[in-house]
Amino acid sequence: MNSPKAGTTQEAYVGTIELYDNKFYLLSKRYMDVLLSIIGLLLLMPLLVSVAILIKVDDVKSPVFFKQIRVGKDGKKFRMYKFRSMVNNAEGLLDSLLDQNETSGALFKMKDDPRVTKVGRFIRKTSIDELPQLWNVLKGEMSLVGPRPPLPREVESYTDYHKQRLSVVPGCTGLWQVSGRSSVGFEKMVELDLHYIRNRHFFYDMKLICKTIIIIFYPNSAY
């Protein structure tokens, strides 16, 4: 499956997006989500416990998990889980850092974000902080593969073009995550998401899952 060309513009995607809603694909995708998330939680339990201990030792008074409201399919909000990689009052400190945003559009990314803890830098770089989202997958709020679930404040600035990425169940990983992640700007992220939505199928999902596993051992530009 080829990725969208660099010269692709918004105008090329204007209009209602055509979804690949083949019933067999959707059923197999959900079956894969449930099966692999259960296997993943069981096999990764020693790692999950170890990370939880490290986070707790680093800051005894703060929680191990970070819970945040995200926007899912068709604009439905849900509570997403991650390992806490920032100081406990990170959300309250965001406004003071907005002028140092290093990406474009509705995203906020800062390479040397002072809110990130020592343990947090490692688990963010390797995407280990995302593993608790397997619980969201089991609940059906997320899929293993799909567009990144945005924050409500991000969606508030979306155009109709951007909102097309909310037409499918969001994922733990996707084309954006394996294509540079933090080094990719907002508009390019949307372009990648729409490319995935238009071309998704079972083997494409499996390919992106395999690429994500490789990134855990050979991290990309995530921060």
Side-chain angles (χ1 to χ4, degrees):
M1 185 61 60
N2 296 321
S3 297
K5 296 180 179 179
T8 303
T9 61
Q10 285 193 20
E11 286 75 14
Y13 287 123
V14 170
T16 303
I17 194 169
E18 294 181 8
L19 294 178
Y20 180 60
D21 280 340
N22 179 279
K23 290 184 179 180
F24 176 77
Y25 165 68
L26 295 178
L27 182 62
S28 62
K29 182 178 178 68
R30 180 58 186 157
Y31 177 80
M32 179 179 69
D33 282 345
V34 173
L35 179 63
L36 293 187
S37 57
I38 290 175
I39 292 175
L41 287 170
L42 292 176
L43 293 180
L44 295 171
M45 190 58 66
L47 174 62
L48 297 175
V49 173
S50 298
V51 171
I53 292 174
L54 288 174
I55 293 173
K56 202 63 180 177
V57 169
D58 186 58
D59 187 351
V60 178
K61 296 182 180 180
S62 297
V64 169
F65 297 103
F66 175 64
K67 296 174 287 186
Q68 189 177 52
I69 299 298
R70 294 290 182 119
V71 181
K73 181 181 179 182
D74 299 328
K76 184 178 180 180
K77 295 179 181 179
F78 67 97
R79 193 179 302 275
M80 189 183 78
Y81 299 92
K82 299 177 69 173
F83 275 125
R84 184 177 59 81
S85 61
M86 293 185 173
V87 294
N88 199 32
N89 63 332
E91 291 291 286
L93 298 173
L94 179 60
D95 288 343
S96 64
L97 299 172
L98 289 177
D99 61 343
Q100 300 181 59
N101 190 8
E102 296 177 12
T103 190
S104 59
L107 294 177
F108 176 83
K109 292 289 181 180
M110 184 178 175
K111 188 172 184 178
D112 295 316
D113 195 324
R115 301 173 299 165
V116 180
T117 65
K118 291 180 180 179
V119 176
R121 293 195 184 283
F122 171 73
I123 62 176
R124 286 164 70 96
K125 186 71 175 177
T126 55
S127 298
I128 291 175
D129 64 320
E130 310 281 356
L131 292 178
Q133 290 166 33
L134 292 175
W135 178 244
N136 290 114
V137 175
L138 277 177
K139 294 172 66 179
E141 298 163 335
M142 294 179 65
S143 175
L144 290 175
V145 182
R148 164 191 171 272
L151 294 163
R153 63 174 175 79
E154 294 172 347
V155 176
E156 288 176 1
S157 64
Y158 275 15
T159 64
D160 289 340
Y161 163 74
H162 300 140
K163 289 179 181 178
Q164 292 179 106
R165 64 189 302 273
L166 302 177
S167 58
V168 299
V169 177
C172 298
T173 190
L175 190 54
W176 169 70
Q177 288 91 329
V178 302
S179 301
R181 195 171 172 177
S182 297
S183 64
V184 177
F186 173 69
E187 294 297 339
K188 183 63 177 179
M189 181 194 74
V190 175
E191 181 183 316
L192 291 170
D193 286 340
L194 296 186
H195 175 81
Y196 166 75
I197 291 172
R198 280 190 166 86
N199 296 279
R200 61 186 186 147
H201 56 76
F202 183 82
F203 293 106
Y204 194 13
D205 286 351
M206 291 302 299
K207 178 181 178 181
L208 293 175
I209 289 174
C210 290
K211 284 188 174 183
T212 302
I213 293 173
I214 293 173
I215 288 174
I216 292 178
F217 296 99
Y218 301 97
N220 58 12
S221 58
Y223 53 79

